[in-house]
Amino acid sequence: MTVSVSAPGKAFLIGEYAVLEGAPSIVTAVDVRAVAHVPTDEAAPPMSAVVRCAHARAIDYLRQLGGDIEIDLRVPLVDTGRFYLGTRKLGLGSSAAVTAAVVGHHLAAHGLDPRDPDVQRDALELAMAAHAEAQGGGGSGADVAAAVLGGTLRFAHGKAESIEPLPGLHLGFVDAGYPAITSELVRRVREGEAAHPEQYAAAMEVLSAAARDFIEAYVTEPGQVPDPVELQARFERIRDASDRHNRGLRMLQDMAGASFVTPEITTIIEQAEADGLAAKPSGASGGDLVVVMATDRTALDRLSERLQREHGLVLRTNLVAHAEGLRAEERLPTNSRLAGFFKLSVAERREAVARSSGLSLERLAELDAGSFDVQRANHMIENVVGTMELPLAIATNFRINGRDFLVPMCVEEASVVAAASNAAKMIRAGGGFAAHSDPPWMIAQVQLTPRTDDFDAEGVGDRIREASAELLALADEAHPRLLIRGGGARDLEVRVVDPAMIVVHVLVDCRDAMGANLLNTVAETVAPRLETLTGWQAGLRILSNLSDRRCTHISARVPPDALAGKGFSGPQVARGIASASRFAELDPYRATTHNKGIMNGVDAVVLATGNDWRAMEASAHAYAARSGRYGPLATWREGEDGWLEGRMSLPAAVGVVGGATRTHPVARLALEILGCDGGAELGQVMAAAGLASNLAALRALATEGIQRGHMGLHARNVAASAGAEGEEIDRLARELASQGAFDAAAAKAALNRIRRAKPAA
Ligand code: NAD
């Protein structure tokens, strides 16, 4: 039986220092998960101390339970990829999650349900002991409790109590960069405590009082939903407690001569405070994450936008609080490093995909031609006379934010998939792609023109702005289900684009859908009210396909060694690629081709997943011209350490629901193979495919030129066009590649030669 059990990471909301002195704290489980599973045939990596201790204690426990079930003594493998951002591990309690996942895995393999509260109670005891043993004591245990029990916990004196998250309080985690080293900080604090006991006590007093006040304001009775006035009052107390916590941290910092509050943390806190939000560092490691709290989701999104634009600091939308604790997973973590995949037959490739994705071979049979039949097609568009098949392939080696993806690509052009897989391997050598996404805001536009000659556009614009709240509420009425899913109208913008034309933008968070139909309904819903409000005439009412508020931001670092080859050293290739990037930045003729190469990868995934590639294309190119001059979407530089660094922002109006994503059987299957958490992650995969395609093209261009590799792969197309059949195709393609001639006449001549040379049947 294949058992895979996962456990979440954690983040402190308050009390991370105070808890060490016996004060209460609040810790929440964060939905990045360590996944423990039985070893596959790969060589097992060396066992870490937490895995060893958790394994030993779980086996002992099962032995004591007795019974007839044979105990599986294999040490599980644990995937912690989700705790990483590129090569950097986020301080989210991965060792506690690993401990919990290993214990949970053993109990589940023995037939116990890791979600069962009684099983979790025993798992918690085992994991606490194992974690303390592996770490040599010292921690509070709050991280282990969050990893096993999940949700949000009040934690004090080693005891965890589940509490309800405060309804109406939105949390965001902003990445403050590299953390200071926890053990070093703890040592400095301990030294400071010994040298200045009074200062230490004073700082701890402030931190403990702040924790108690925060908790009093946060904790509600189960089922109790505070009204807006009470919520505001509670929020203000939370904000005040967070301020005092920050003051206590600075006192501790001064005492210990250690840096807890880095300049990045200070910026995040100041920016949040300027918007009236609460913010404080999360965790005792003096860096990494700052938790920001607001009663208004839009305020959090606005702060996120500003932090990113002005300070390059990112609110990580994938860090979702109140996550589930131990649970069994249906799928094993995907391994996209399928060496030699390209050499396999189609049937063997399907087997490899099935093994790696956890899908059944029967499910993959949907990839056979004909699964999308004419009747289905006839329901999808008009005037149908048939269907048209295109190749669907899997690109390998993709690793994004520590997670592996098998990337389905649908494309008719040879070499796109090979190039993307090859470049993804180079990027993997540098730790993989790091990506984050804007909140999924789309823009609905309503055009207004005056009905008479006597008009004042600015005055009308002000009237619309004053009615923002009413208009946003009206927009929300169009999609009540979207509100339940956490989306909805977020903001309203008025643009006077001409003295006689106003354009109103309603910004809508459309969650995991592309949102075109959702947004069009919003535009049509608010337009009549805009007419009565202004006396102007509503014209066009439709979404904007320039989805610049919904970008995916992706970056990759490639070690020079991974770039070397074909007679070129790594630094030579890196320099060549940086120069190629400069060329695209200076010349729109080159930028267009540069971006075409990016869209080779992007569109192939957009198409494979049933998303709207016209929308993606329109948006990407408009975005590439946002400065008034068309430029490259991705740029590359040589870093100070000689590594090649690439980055790209790409509007990604794509969904995992809606459109053809669920109605086309192959698109649905492609989405299953990917297993993305939602629309944002799917956008990241598309951007990764684009950046990889770009890297592959630039590397070829900066070295031997594009034609050799491309035509080598294209040769099979040329061979088929020349009339080659069956085994002749590969043979002719090899022949063409070896002679370096790919024109039709050369192909025909070579085919004739091959046929003449064949022995008569
Ligand atoms: P859609 O009309 O199918 O709506 C999405 C549906 O999914 C909604 O009913 C929503 O309630 C539901 N849903 C379920 N789970 C959800 C979740 N987690 N998050 C969000 N919604 C969820 O699809 P759409 O995305 O509104 O529109 C996309 C389609 O519109 C595409 O086929 C596109 O080609 C087409 N379109 C595009 C344009 C354009 O780009 N200019 C114009 C018109 C139509």
Side-chain angles (χ1 to χ4, degrees):
M1 182 179 49
T2 303
V3 183
S4 155
V5 171
S6 72
K10 68 90 189 59
F12 273 101
L13 299 190
I14 194 77
E16 43 275 79
Y17 283 97
V19 72
L20 300 171
E21 297 293 322
S25 62
I26 297 184
V27 65
T28 189
V30 176
D31 209 15
V32 288
R33 309 187 76 84
V35 188
H37 55 96
V38 285
T40 52
D41 42 9
E42 319 163 12
M47 211 192 312
S48 67
V50 278
V51 172
R52 194 179 58 247
C53 295
H55 174 72
R57 285 189 186 255
I59 297 292
D60 271 0
Y61 168 84
L62 293 175
R63 285 202 174 115
Q64 278 166 32
L65 271 190
D68 318 329
I69 310 175
E70 197 183 329
I71 299 171
D72 186 346
L73 296 173
R74 285 175 296 176
V75 181
L77 291 179
V78 189
D79 180 288
T80 53
R82 298 244 191 162
F83 286 80
Y84 284 84
L85 193 67
T87 50
R88 176 158 70 94
K89 196 191 235 177
L90 294 167
L92 290 164
S94 61
S95 72
V98 167
T99 315
V102 169
V103 169
H105 171 269
H106 275 302
L107 302 196
H110 210 67
L112 301 168
D113 176 3
R115 276 187 164 125
D116 181 322
D118 288 336
V119 174
Q120 287 196 349
R121 202 193 50 234
D122 288 358
L124 179 56
E125 207 173 299
L126 291 167
M128 283 275 199
H131 195 242
E133 182 188 345
Q135 307 255 302
S140 66
D143 45 2
V144 184
V148 174
L149 304 174
T152 296
L153 306 169
R154 184 182 183 283
F155 188 88
H157 300 295
K159 292 271 169 293
E161 173 202 345
S162 291
I163 56 172
E164 299 277 316
L166 174 57
L169 185 76
H170 300 277
L171 304 180
F173 295 96
V174 184
D175 185 355
Y178 283 85
I181 301 159
T182 316
S183 53
E184 171 64 11
L185 278 182
V186 171
R187 189 181 61 75
R188 294 269 193 99
V189 171
R190 291 291 170 230
E191 281 171 13
E193 181 188 0
H196 315 284
E198 278 156 27
Q199 267 177 277
Y200 176 81
M204 276 302 170
E205 182 48 44
V206 172
L207 289 166
S208 301
R212 273 191 290 272
D213 286 358
F214 186 114
I215 292 170
E216 234 179 80
Y218 186 89
V219 176
T220 53
E221 291 298 317
Q224 184 200 349
V225 179
D227 63 34
V229 177
E230 192 197 332
L231 176 63
Q232 191 53 31
R234 282 173 180 262
F235 174 69
E236 279 164 24
R237 286 170 63 197
I238 286 173
R239 192 175 53 197
D240 177 60
S242 302
D243 281 354
R244 284 186 288 131
H245 174 92
N246 295 338
R247 190 153 58 79
L249 270 190
R250 291 196 181 94
M251 289 166 71
L252 212 54
Q253 165 170 289
D254 291 345
M255 178 214 71
S259 176
F260 295 91
V261 188
T262 60
E264 289 81 7
I265 293 179
T266 305
T267 302
I268 298 163
I269 292 173
E270 281 173 4
Q271 292 294 319
E273 280 173 355
D275 290 359
L277 309 187
K280 59 170 281 297
S282 172
S285 59
D288 224 10
L289 296 175
V290 174
V291 56
V292 182
M293 292 158 273
T295 50
D296 174 7
R297 177 80 240 174
T298 311
L300 213 51
D301 287 345
R302 281 213 197 95
L303 172 70
S304 152
E305 195 184 12
R306 201 173 67 244
L307 280 173
Q308 177 165 320
R309 207 182 46 241
E310 293 174 15
H311 305 280
L313 293 161
V314 176
L315 188 145
R316 302 256 161 234
T317 45
N318 62 323
L319 302 183
V320 181
H322 321 303
E324 200 181 346
L326 281 181
R327 70 169 185 226
E329 297 289 340
E330 277 173 24
R331 282 173 69 162
L332 296 177
T334 298
N335 168 19
S336 68
R337 180 75 199 93
L338 304 181
F341 188 69
F342 69 99
K343 292 185 203 147
L344 304 178
S345 67
V346 171
E348 288 167 336
R349 287 192 199 121
R350 283 192 191 180
E351 279 170 24
V353 170
R355 262 197 315 278
S356 181
S357 67
L359 295 173
S360 68
L361 266 180
E362 294 75 58
R363 186 80 188 80
L364 294 182
E366 289 254 20
L367 295 172
D368 285 334
S371 70
F372 179 60
D373 59 42
V374 177
Q375 284 322 313
R376 286 199 210 216
N378 197 28
H379 292 131
M380 203 179 264
I381 64 165
E382 315 72 39
N383 299 5
V384 166
V385 293
T387 60
M388 181 174 165
E389 311 267 356
L390 284 173
L392 185 95
I394 297 289
T396 55
N397 300 322
F398 278 81
R399 190 168 182 80
I400 307 167
N401 292 342
R403 187 175 170 203
D404 273 22
F405 292 92
L406 293 173
V407 180
M409 296 178 91
C410 179
V411 63
E412 85 297 343
E413 186 179 344
S415 84
V416 169
V417 179
S421 303
N422 194 19
K425 190 170 156 200
M426 296 172 206
I427 290 169
R428 194 183 178 90
F433 299 86
H436 64 273
S437 308
D438 293 341
W441 286 16
M442 295 288 280
I443 300 167
Q445 292 195 299
V446 180
Q447 176 199 27
L448 295 171
T449 49
R451 289 181 199 268
T452 65
D453 288 343
D454 181 18
F455 54 82
D456 162 23
E458 293 300 339
V460 167
D462 288 343
R463 223 177 306 152
I464 299 170
R465 285 187 197 97
E466 281 159 25
S468 276
E470 178 206 336
L471 288 161
L472 292 180
L474 189 62
D476 275 343
E477 281 172 23
H479 294 297
R481 297 223 316 278
L482 188 60
L483 293 198
I484 297 167
R485 295 190 177 101
R490 293 288 189 249
D491 210 350
L492 186 129
E493 293 169 347
V494 181
R495 296 168 55 223
V496 178
V497 293
D498 177 89
M501 191 184 293
I502 292 177
V503 180
V504 178
H505 283 185
V506 184
L507 285 94
V508 181
D509 180 326
C510 53
R511 296 284 94 199
D512 295 312
M514 174 206 172
N517 292 321
L518 292 172
L519 272 279
N520 292 348
T521 317
V522 165
E524 292 189 3
T525 306
V526 297
R529 179 66 190 123
L530 283 168
E531 284 187 326
T532 53
L533 198 67
T534 60
W536 286 35
Q537 167 94 43
L540 269 55
R541 293 146 295 157
I542 188 167
L543 88 154
S544 167
N545 277 110
L546 176 49
S547 28
D548 57 353
R549 310 295 277 272
R550 193 184 187 179
C551 282
T552 292
H553 310 275
I554 191 148
S555 59
R557 297 187 78 243
V558 193
D561 286 356
L563 293 165
K566 307 192 174 161
F568 293 81
S569 71
Q572 278 174 324
V573 179
R575 215 162 306 133
I577 291 174
S579 169
S581 174
R582 267 316 275 149
F583 180 7
E585 288 158 51
L586 295 168
D587 177 16
Y589 286 92
R590 173 58 210 153
T592 309
T593 322
H594 180 98
N595 289 346
K596 191 279 179 183
I598 293 171
M599 300 314 282
N600 272 344
V602 174
D603 283 342
V605 187
V606 176
L607 193 53
T609 55
N611 272 282
D612 184 334
W613 79 93
R614 289 86 54 208
M616 197 74 180
E617 282 282 335
S619 191
H621 298 294
Y623 191 73
R626 67 194 177 286
S627 70
R629 175 197 171 101
Y630 189 88
L633 287 161
T635 53
W636 297 87
R637 295 280 180 273
E638 264 185 291
E640 279 173 13
D641 53 4
W643 284 39
L644 181 69
E645 298 173 356
R647 56 184 62 248
M648 173 167 77
S649 290
L650 179 78
V654 292
V656 293
V657 292
T661 56
R662 303 278 166 107
T663 48
H664 195 297
V666 178
R668 201 169 52 216
L669 181 55
L671 283 168
E672 274 184 50
I673 293 172
L674 273 169
C676 288
D677 281 343
E681 198 170 57
L682 177 60
Q684 294 175 2
V685 172
M686 290 168 180
L691 196 63
S693 299
N694 187 226
L695 172 61
L698 297 186
R699 180 172 178 265
L701 286 167
T703 56
E704 61 179 6
I706 202 89
Q707 279 307 77
R708 187 147 175 242
H710 179 76
M711 292 314 284
L713 291 165
H714 182 60
R716 287 189 300 164
N717 275 341
V718 177
S721 306
E725 286 174 355
E727 289 173 359
E728 287 174 350
I729 295 178
D730 276 338
R731 190 156 167 214
L732 178 54
R734 274 198 305 276
E735 176 112 7
L736 295 176
S738 72
Q739 69 191 35
F742 299 97
D743 57 284
K748 283 232 156 42
L751 180 60
N752 285 336
R753 272 200 308 279
I754 288 170
R755 285 185 173 162
R756 275 199 305 273
K758 249 190 212 168

